[in-house]
Structure formats: structure tokens, C-alpha cells
């Protein structure tokens, strides 16, 4: 069936279309009702269906006779370890961990925070939760205690599963001191803290009272079976940056998500069961959930857990080594990773060392991909580099290409076409649909297809205000875009205070809150400026309080340190510039877009609402001074 036809059916004959797709996964109880409207008139999929995600990822394949197939490869250049697990071996670990969690009193509907590095035990913990209906919340291992506290306070976990350390190239990052600090700051005590001891160093002094040893728990526990959960039962919460300082707990269902992921593996990635599929993302991001864990395992693909960086572990040939060693057929990464490789190996010398015969397609997402990177990829790697666009909220691609039948056409700089299920429009601010080639807001007609967010955890008002209130009957993505005459979509970037730094989604408002808390700062603006390697990096412009005589160097150093301690080093806030005043509108709003354009050195139009045009010259002079 051709793509156009699939797309049309997904919109015009929505329920039949998704009922057929739902048959591609194995339910404990197949849904009779396909789409329902809940009390908030936000649609839900397959409400009376019952299934279990861990069963689909693991047990089903064993029942079907594939227990001895490799399910997981762990490749860790930073520790020199390599290990594989078959589906049967994975079930052994997961079912016993699930039994252990149950023995600690965790049951269906409870939440558990997982704060772990890129090791197999993280995946086991996610699936162990899914096995017994516990809702997991994976927190990116690079986040600082404050970020952990925000999540703990919001989802009130009954357990926190962690490890003794992560590794950043050659640097051990001890997690327990961070966890201890978070627990101290959190409103409620977390009853159970389970720690996987990686035994990387003698770290006895980092242990604190009340820890449960992960390995002992697994060893002494009886395996637990997969329980049936309703299709709408939350599988996980994943917090993501919004336009305020507080992250949003995106809530994902089970049945719609499983259906959408199976569809993605079949049609978008076009990968066959039994092949190796690798998404090089941290488990802490949406990509890590959907395409390092659930998608490939549902599809019976071997998935790879890579603990390292695309460069320096040991060199920029690491990705090609892994692709060759494990016969990866389809890979997914962020463009920034390819840019980092390209910078180290501009002539593709390291690529030549490896046999990439099995490698068929490279998918890219997470941020805009520049054409030069696509060109480099195709020239030196020789497989198609396929951009696609999605968000934590959707959980799977919304714009992309359906590559399964090989009959697709890449348009450089475009993220592709709307994926079946996503009725995408480009609107102006008044809700009028724009013609081809006009830039506007990317919005999607409701209902969203299966797999997209159920809501925001514990905050229905925020869910409505963030996504559903801008245009009635539509989901507001927060991205700008242009459509061309062939229906291809070109993403132009966020229209809110969210920025993307090396594929990491961050909120500039959150950074502004931290910058403003510095005792010498009267007010500030943090904007995302262009960066050749990371796509965007934050830049803070601050106005000092009257009477403050702190030097630019000192305040920069202090603010940079505080942002690292409060959010993470991945925020990459490295620049702080002091100015006498910020450009504002007559009504007192900070003109952040103008600041960004001036910092990027791009052409600008003077906003008609500006209160004093002279400020532009002032800021330009400051920028020159700051950069000299
Ligand atoms: N734990 C602790 N610290 C971490 C960390 C983690 N898990 N991940 C990153 N950091 C630190 C880094 O060590 C670095 O610290 P430094 O400033 O002291 O040097 C800082 O955060 C910035 O990290 P990053 O921006 O990731 O830069 P990098 O040079 O370490 O790596 C890339 C560059 C391109 C390899 C990396 O950014 C990457 O893989 N990005 C893709 C993200 C992604 O997969 N997103 C999902 C969507 S596809
Ligand atoms: P996240 O929720 O962390 O996956 O980030 C989602 C945001 O990343 C989107 O709203 C976009 O702004 C950006 N993004 C993701 N994929 C792409 C892409 N292919 N091109 C441009 N921007 C992208």
C-alpha cells in the first residue's frame, strides 16, 4: 500500500486504520472500543484493551521460539566491557527484579524514578516496572540533584532505582552523593532506594543508610509474571522542558504506544524482526525510551546499549565500529553526534576501517540537521541520512518518510511529510491555514494518533494551556514550520522558550530563574544562539543591581557554575554578558528575539513596539566588547 494511501486512510478512516495496526501486537484482551473521548474531551485509544509492555518486548518472543536470539548488546568503550543478553536471559533478570520490586511493596499504579547511566540494568529496571504495572520515570543521569528533586516531588515515587556511578569518557560521576542530596531536599522521603553497585572504585564512603542492593534484591527474589494492564494505564512519565521553569511530566499510555511503535518500526524505519537496530540516545530522553528500549524490542530487533561518546571513546570511528561489529542495519542519532564525528574525521578516514555492508539507513532527529552534515554523511558513509521530526510529547515520529518499501524521496533540509495519523497544518497566529512556503505554527488536528501523550501528570490545566488552548481542536507543537507544494515540511525552530543544545531539550526560562537568583543580578534574558557543533547554546545577558561592582568575568564564572550545579553540565551555559539595560517593548516585555538576532549577528528588523531604539547600538557595542 503506498504512503499517500496509508496517510489518507489514517485520517479519513482513523478507527479502522488503527484497529488494523493494533492487530500487529499481541493483546491479552483485544480492544472493542478503538477511540473514546475522556471527560476532558481529549481522545484516548483502545480504552478497553488489556496488555503488558514487558510481555510484548520479552516474553512474547520467547513464547514464539526466539528465546535464544540476542535481545540486548551492551558495548561500553568507557569501561572496556561488552556483554550480550538473549531474550531468555533478559527475562530472567527482569522478572526477578520485578519480583524484588513487588516484595518491597510496589504495585500497579505506583511510580518509580530511575536515575541511571547507560547500562543494561537501566533497561531491566524499566521493563521490570512495566511488568508489574509500576509507572517509571527515567531521569537523565547527567541531571543535577535539583532536577531530580523536581521530579520526585511531582511524581512521589515509591522507589528510586539508581547506580553507584556514570562515566563521562574517563571521569567517574558518582551518583550516590547526588541522590543523597536530592532525597534530603525532596518534600517526602522515598521509601526504597535501590542501588546497582558498578564496583568501579572503592566507593564505600558514598553509601548511605537505607540503601537496597540491586543485585542482592534480584538474587533473593522470585520471578514475577507480567500482569494485564488497561491500554490507557500509564507506562511511564517523562519530564521535559516547557516554557516555565518547572518541567512537564509527559504521561504515556501502554496500548496506543505499543501500537504506534510497532507501526514505526514497520513503516518508518522499515526494519525487519531479527535485525539489529541502534538508537544512540541516552535512556533519559524520549528517543531512549521509544527507540533504544520499547520499539526495537517489540519488533524483536536486537538493541544496543552504548556507553560512550561518538568521539574520544576512543575516537571518531566508534559508531562505525559498532555498526560493523553488530551488523546494525538501521541507526538513529542526533545530528550533533554526526557533526562531532565530522569535525574529528572530516575526510572520513576512520570510516574506511569498517565493514558497513549491513548498514542500510541512518535516521536523524532531535534538532535541525544542516545540509552540510547530510552531505558529509552521504559522501563518506554512503547510506541515506533521513531526517524526521518528533517530540517527547508524541513519543514517535510525526514528520518523516515511510521507508519500508524503499519508495521514498528525501528533500534536503526537510524533515519529511506528515506521518500517518498526524493531520498537520501550518497556521498563522489567527488560526488561518497558510499557503505553501509561508512560515507559521505547526499544529495538528485532534485526535492525535495512538502513542501520543495522555496528558501532563497531575496537571490537567497545564496540559490544556500548553497544547490545546491555542487553537481549538488542535494540538500546538511549539515549533514553527513551512510546508512546500509537495507537502514536505521544513521545521524552522521553536517558537517558545525551549532550546535544543546538542539534542538536549532545555528551557531558557528555567535558566533565567537560576541566573536571576544570583545576588548581583537585577534582571536577565537567556536566549539560544547558533552553534556550529551543538546547534544551539544558551547565552545569558544580565543587568546588575544598582551598586554592584562585580566584574563580568567573576559573575560569568559564578553563574556558569550555578547552572551546572542546578541543571546540568549539558545545559552548556558558558557565556554571560553584563549590560546596562535590556531591550524592551513599551509595555516592558524583554525583546529576547532581538537579543538573539543581535548575538547571532543576523539581519534584524527593529520591532515596532521597542521603547528606545538606541538600545540596539548599545547592545551591539557590548557584544563587540564581550567577544574581543
Ligand atoms: N552525566 C554527567 N555529565 C554529562 C552527561 C551525563 N550523562 N552527559 C553529558 N555530560 C556533561 C559532559 O561531560 C560535558 O561536561 P563538561 O562541560 O564538563 O565537559 C557537558 O555535560 C556537555 O555535554 P554534551 O553537550 O553532551 O557534550 P559532549 O561533548 O560530552 O558530547 C555529543 C557531545 C554530541 C556526543 C552529545 O551531546 C550527544 O550525544 N548528543 C546527542 C543527545 C541525544 O542523543 N539526544 C536524544 C535525541 S536523538
Ligand atoms: P524533544 O522533546 O527533546 O525530543 O525535543 C523536541 C524538539 O526538538 C522539537 O519540538 C523540535 O524543536 C526539535 N526537533 C526534533 N526533531 C527535529 C528535527 N528533525 N528538525 C528540527 N527540529 C527538531
Amino acid at each position: 500500500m503506498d504512503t499517500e494511501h496509508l496517510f489518507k486512510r489514517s485520517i479519513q478512516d482513523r478507527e479502522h486504520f488503527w484497529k488494523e495496526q493494533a492487530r500487529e501486537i499481541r493483546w491479552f484482551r483485544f480492544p472493542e472500543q478503538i477511540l473514546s473521548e475522556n471527560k476532558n474531551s481529549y481522545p484516548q485509544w483502545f480504552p478497553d484493551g488489556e496488555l503488558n509492555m514487558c510481555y510484548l518486548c520479552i516474553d512474547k518472543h520467547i513464547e514464539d521460539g526466539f528465546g535464544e536470539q540476542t535481545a540486548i548488546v551492551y558495548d561500553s568503550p568507557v569501561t572496556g566491557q561488552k556483554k550480550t543478553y538473549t531474550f531468555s536471559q533478559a527475562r530472567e533478570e527482569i522478572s526477578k527484579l520485578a519480583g524484588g520490586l513487588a516484595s518491597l511493596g510496589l504495585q500497579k499504579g505506583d511510580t518509580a524514578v530511575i536515575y541511571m547511566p547507560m547500562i543494561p540494568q537501566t533497561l531491566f529496571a524499566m521493563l521490570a516496572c512495566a511488568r508489574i504495572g509500576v509507572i517509571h520515570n527515567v531521569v537523565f543521569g547527567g541531571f543535577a540533584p535539583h532536577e531530580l528533586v523536581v521530579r520526585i516531588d511531582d511524581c512521589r515515587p515509591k522507589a528510586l532505582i539508581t547506580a553507584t556511578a556514570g562515566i563521562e569518557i574517563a571521569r567517574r560521576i558518582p551518583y550516590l552523593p547526588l541522590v543523597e542530596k536530592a532525597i534530603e531536599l525532596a518534600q517526602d522521603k522515598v521509601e526504597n532506594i535501590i542501588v546497582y553497585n558498578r564496583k568501579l572504585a572503592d566507593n564505600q564512603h558514598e553509601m548511605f543508610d537505607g540503601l537496597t542492593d540491586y543485585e542482592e534484591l534480584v538474587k533473593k527474589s522470585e520471578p514475577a509474571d507480567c500482569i494485564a494492564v488497561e491500554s490507557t494505564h500509564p507506562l511511564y512519565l517523562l519530564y521535559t522542558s516547557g516554557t516555565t521553569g518547572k518541567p512537564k511530566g509527559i504521561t504515556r499510555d501502554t496500548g496506543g504506544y505499543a501500537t504506534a511503535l510497532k507501526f514505526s518500526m514497520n513503516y518508518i524505519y522499515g526494519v525487519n524482526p531479527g535485525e539489529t537496530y541502534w538508537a544512540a540516545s541516552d535512556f533519559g530522553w524520549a528517543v531512549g525510551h521509544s527507540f533504544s528500549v520499547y520499539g526495537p524490542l517489540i519488533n524483536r530487533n536486537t538493541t544496543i546499549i552504548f556507553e560512550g561518546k561518538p568521539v574520544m571513546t576512543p575516537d571518531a570511528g566508534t559508531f562505525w565500529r559498532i555498526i560493523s561489529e553488530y551488523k546494525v542495519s538501521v541507526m538513529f542519532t542526533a545530528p550533533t553526534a554526526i557533526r562531532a564525528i565530522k569535525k574529528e574525521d572530516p575526510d572520513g578516514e576512520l570510516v574506511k576501517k569498517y565493514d558497513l555492508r549491513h548498514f542500510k539507513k541512518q535516521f536523524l532527529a532531535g534538532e535541525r540537521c544542516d545540509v552540510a552534515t547530510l552531505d558529509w554523511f552521504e559522501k563518506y558513509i554512503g547510506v541515506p541520512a533521513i531526517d524526521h521530526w518528533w517530540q517527547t510529547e508524541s513519543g514517535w515520529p510525526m514528520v518523516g518518510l515511510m521507508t519500508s518499501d524503499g519508495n521514498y524521496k528525501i528533500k534536503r533540509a526537510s524533515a519529511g511529510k506528515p506521518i500517518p495519523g498526524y493531520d498537520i497544518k501550518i497556521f498563522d497566529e489567527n488560526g488561518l491555514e497558510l499557503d505553501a512556503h509561508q512560515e507559521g505554527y505547526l499544529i495538528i488536528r485532534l485526535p492525535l494518533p495512538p502513542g501520543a501523550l495522555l496528558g501532563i501528570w497531575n496537571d490537567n490545566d497545564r496540559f490544556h494551556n500548553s497544547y490545546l488552548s491555542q487553537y481549538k481542536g488542535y494540538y500546538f507543537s511549539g515549533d514553527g514550520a513551512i510546508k512546500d507544494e509537495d507537502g514536505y515540511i521544513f521545521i524552522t525552530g521553536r517558537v517558545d522558550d525551549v532550546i535544543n543544545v546538542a539534542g538536549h531539550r532545555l528551557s531558557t526560562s528555567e535558566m533565567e530563574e537560576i541566573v536571576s537568583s544570583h545576588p548581583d543580578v537585577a534582571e536577565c534574558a537567556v536566549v539560544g544562539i547558533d552553534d556550529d557543533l551543538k546547534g544551539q547554546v544558551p547565552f545569558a545577558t544580565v543587568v546588575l543591581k544598582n551598586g554592584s561592582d562585580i566584574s563580568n568575568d567573576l559573575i560569568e564564572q559564578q553563574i556558569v557554575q550555578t547552572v551546572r550545579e542546578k541543571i546540568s553540565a549539558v545545559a552548556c551555559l558558558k557565556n554571560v554578558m553584563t549590560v546596562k539595560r535590556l531591550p524592551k517593548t513599551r509595555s516592558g516585555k524583554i525583546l529576547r528575539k532581538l537579543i538573539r538576532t543581535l548575538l547571532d549577528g543576523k539581519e534584524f528588523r527593529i520591532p515596532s513596539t521597542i521603547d528606545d531604539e538606541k538600545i540596539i547600538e548599545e547592545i551591539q557595542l557590548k557584544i563587540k566588547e564581550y567577544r574581543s
Side-chain angles (χ1 to χ4, degrees):
M1 193 185 294
D2 74 33
T3 303
E4 297 297 324
H5 185 66
L6 268 184
F7 180 79
K8 266 201 190 122
R9 277 201 59 219
S10 77
I11 303 298
Q12 291 166 1
D13 193 12
R14 182 174 284 120
E15 295 196 30
H16 280 119
F17 180 86
W18 287 112
K19 187 174 183 178
E20 271 167 28
Q21 298 308 325
R23 288 201 196 285
E24 298 284 313
I25 59 167
R26 197 170 295 164
W27 299 74
F28 294 164
R29 178 169 189 262
F30 191 79
E32 279 180 21
Q33 202 182 356
I34 301 304
L35 184 64
S36 79
E37 295 229 330
N38 72 4
K39 55 183 184 307
N40 299 310
S41 28
Y42 182 72
Q44 294 190 330
W45 289 93
F46 315 123
D48 60 353
E50 284 182 5
L51 72 170
N52 182 284
M53 189 57 121
C54 183
Y55 171 81
L56 292 177
C57 289
I58 305 288
D59 300 58
K60 170 186 175 287
H61 307 314
I62 300 170
E63 280 176 16
D64 291 349
F66 296 100
E68 296 317 303
Q69 184 195 312
T70 301
I72 302 152
V73 170
Y74 168 54
D75 189 301
S76 169
V78 294
T79 59
Q81 285 182 71
K82 289 180 188 177
K83 196 165 177 180
T84 59
Y85 296 84
T86 63
F87 282 104
S88 298
Q89 288 165 332
R91 178 166 70 179
E92 173 89 13
E93 293 274 340
I94 294 162
S95 60
K96 292 187 82 184
L97 178 60
L101 294 176
S103 73
L104 295 173
L106 277 91
Q107 46 184 319
K108 182 181 168 219
D110 287 337
T111 55
V113 163
I114 300 174
Y115 182 60
M116 292 179 89
M118 290 302 290
I119 54 176
Q121 288 70 23
T122 313
L123 179 150
F124 297 154
M126 293 165 79
L127 288 170
C129 288
R131 198 166 181 89
I132 54 170
V134 168
I135 305 161
H136 64 68
N137 166 227
V138 180
V139 180
F140 169 55
F143 274 141
H146 168 73
E147 293 292 324
L148 201 47
V149 174
V150 173
R151 287 154 178 81
I152 291 173
D153 285 347
D154 196 61
C155 76
R156 310 209 164 227
K158 206 158 188 184
L160 189 154
I161 309 172
T162 188
T164 42
I167 303 163
E168 274 296 290
I169 307 188
R171 186 161 48 108
R172 193 176 78 92
I173 313 275
Y175 280 13
L176 288 177
L178 307 177
V179 169
E180 192 174 15
K181 187 155 182 210
I183 299 291
E184 200 181 290
L185 297 172
Q187 283 164 18
D188 291 333
K189 195 174 150 324
V190 183
E191 265 172 66
N192 301 288
I193 299 170
I194 301 160
V195 55
Y196 178 73
N197 191 346
R198 299 189 71 187
K199 305 186 181 97
L200 295 170
D202 176 12
N203 57 347
Q204 204 46 44
H205 61 286
E206 289 162 9
M207 301 285 177
F208 53 92
D209 284 348
L211 297 175
T212 302
D213 185 82
Y214 178 109
E215 278 184 310
E216 274 172 28
L217 182 68
V218 170
K219 206 151 104 200
K220 72 176 186 205
S221 298
E222 289 299 317
D225 272 340
C226 295
I227 66 158
V229 303
E230 315 82 74
S231 174
T232 53
H233 179 68
L235 174 68
Y236 64 77
L237 313 177
L238 183 56
Y239 287 80
T240 192
S241 302
T243 52
T244 68
K246 191 179 170 220
K248 302 182 274 203
I250 301 302
T251 310
R252 183 89 55 223
D253 73 342
T254 304
Y257 186 52
T259 304
L261 292 182
K262 180 70 184 165
F263 178 82
S264 306
M265 300 310 286
N266 277 347
Y267 289 97
I268 301 172
Y269 300 109
V271 58
N272 298 319
E275 291 185 311
T276 306
Y277 174 97
W278 177 29
S281 162
D282 193 281
F283 289 126
W285 311 115
V287 181
H289 283 63
S290 298
F291 297 114
S292 298
V293 180
Y294 294 114
L297 292 180
I298 289 175
N299 201 43
R300 194 170 49 76
N301 294 121
T302 301
T303 186
I304 296 181
I305 302 173
F306 169 64
E307 190 180 29
K309 303 263 172 187
V311 291
M312 291 193 293
T313 54
D315 59 27
T318 297
F319 274 18
W320 323 128
R321 196 259 305 158
I322 292 197
I323 291 172
S324 150
E325 195 166 328
Y326 304 109
K327 300 188 172 48
V328 172
S329 81
V330 176
M331 187 194 174
F332 180 165
T333 191
T336 188
I338 305 297
R339 285 197 294 267
I341 295 171
K342 175 173 121 206
K343 188 164 167 249
E344 295 295 311
D345 185 20
D347 300 323
E349 289 302 327
L350 294 165
V351 187
K352 294 180 194 150
K353 286 172 60 183
Y354 301 99
D355 172 5
L356 303 181
R357 232 175 323 160
H358 294 87
F359 190 25
K360 291 193 281 204
K361 283 172 266 182
Q362 172 73 59
F363 286 84
L364 298 166
E367 46 157 353
R368 206 180 69 78
C369 185
D370 53 291
V371 169
T373 300
L374 286 177
D375 287 347
W376 181 87
F377 195 90
E378 291 195 2
K379 178 166 178 195
Y380 292 106
I381 316 301
V383 303
I386 305 163
D387 195 359
H388 60 331
W389 171 84
W390 55 296
Q391 306 177 307
T392 304
E393 289 83 345
S394 65
W396 63 287
M398 298 188 273
V399 170
L401 297 171
M402 309 274 276
T403 70
S404 56
D405 60 3
N407 193 14
Y408 61 93
K409 186 173 153 241
I410 297 173
K411 265 200 196 185
R412 287 146 91 244
S414 163
K417 291 182 170 189
I419 291 291
Y422 289 101
D423 191 4
I424 293 178
K425 313 263 177 217
I426 312 294
F427 273 13
D428 72 5
E429 56 261 24
N430 302 315
L432 289 176
E433 189 167 359
L434 292 170
D435 291 336
H437 299 287
Q438 287 191 296
E439 184 174 351
Y441 299 112
L442 191 160
I443 52 117
I444 305 163
R445 196 156 69 89
L446 297 175
L448 295 181
L453 76 172
L454 270 186
I456 294 182
W457 186 251
N458 275 341
D459 204 342
N460 204 37
D461 287 348
R462 190 170 181 204
F463 171 52
H464 278 259
N465 294 337
S466 303
Y467 304 109
L468 307 179
S469 63
Q470 292 81 351
Y471 301 105
K472 200 169 166 12
Y474 293 87
Y475 165 87
F476 181 75
S477 70
D479 276 31
I482 297 169
K483 217 187 228 186
D484 75 3
E485 61 284 354
D486 300 323
Y488 279 79
I489 291 181
F490 297 75
I491 304 293
T492 55
R494 295 292 304 195
V495 295
D496 55 15
D497 301 331
V498 167
I499 57 171
N500 245 292
V501 181
H504 306 124
R505 175 164 158 183
L506 299 158
S507 153
T508 52
S509 322
E510 185 176 8
M511 284 186 236
E512 283 185 2
E513 277 179 26
I514 293 167
V515 176
S516 307
S517 67
H518 187 285
D520 287 279
V521 171
E523 63 175 343
C524 72
V526 176
V527 296
I529 61 166
D530 292 346
D531 183 83
D532 283 349
L533 189 63
K534 295 183 191 268
Q536 278 186 305
V537 287
F539 190 109
T541 308
V542 303
V543 177
L544 298 181
K545 283 183 183 156
N546 275 342
S548 163
D549 58 0
I550 189 166
S551 70
N552 200 114
D553 280 355
L554 186 58
I555 196 163
E556 183 168 70
Q557 200 186 322
Q558 290 174 350
I559 289 176
V560 165
Q561 190 54 29
T562 317
V563 170
R564 285 176 76 95
E565 280 165 12
K566 289 248 165 106
I567 302 180
S568 164
V570 296
C572 283
L573 177 72
K574 301 229 159 108
N575 298 102
V576 180
M577 174 176 82
T578 46
V579 294
K580 286 224 159 53
R581 56 187 184 132
L582 293 169
K584 290 191 181 170
T585 62
R586 282 186 288 275
S587 60
K589 273 194 176 167
I590 298 172
L591 289 162
R592 291 185 175 75
K593 195 168 167 197
L594 176 64
I595 301 177
R596 199 176 78 207
T597 318
L598 293 173
L599 282 164
D600 283 336
K602 288 187 178 152
E603 267 185 44
F604 60 90
R605 227 184 305 141
I606 301 175
S608 57
T609 51
I610 196 163
D611 73 341
D612 179 5
E613 281 184 29
K614 283 203 225 78
I615 179 85
I616 296 181
E617 218 172 295
E618 247 173 76
I619 300 279
Q620 281 174 321
L621 268 175
K622 264 285 171 195
I623 295 174
K624 216 167 153 195
E625 206 177 283
Y626 177 81
R627 292 210 162 126
S628 63

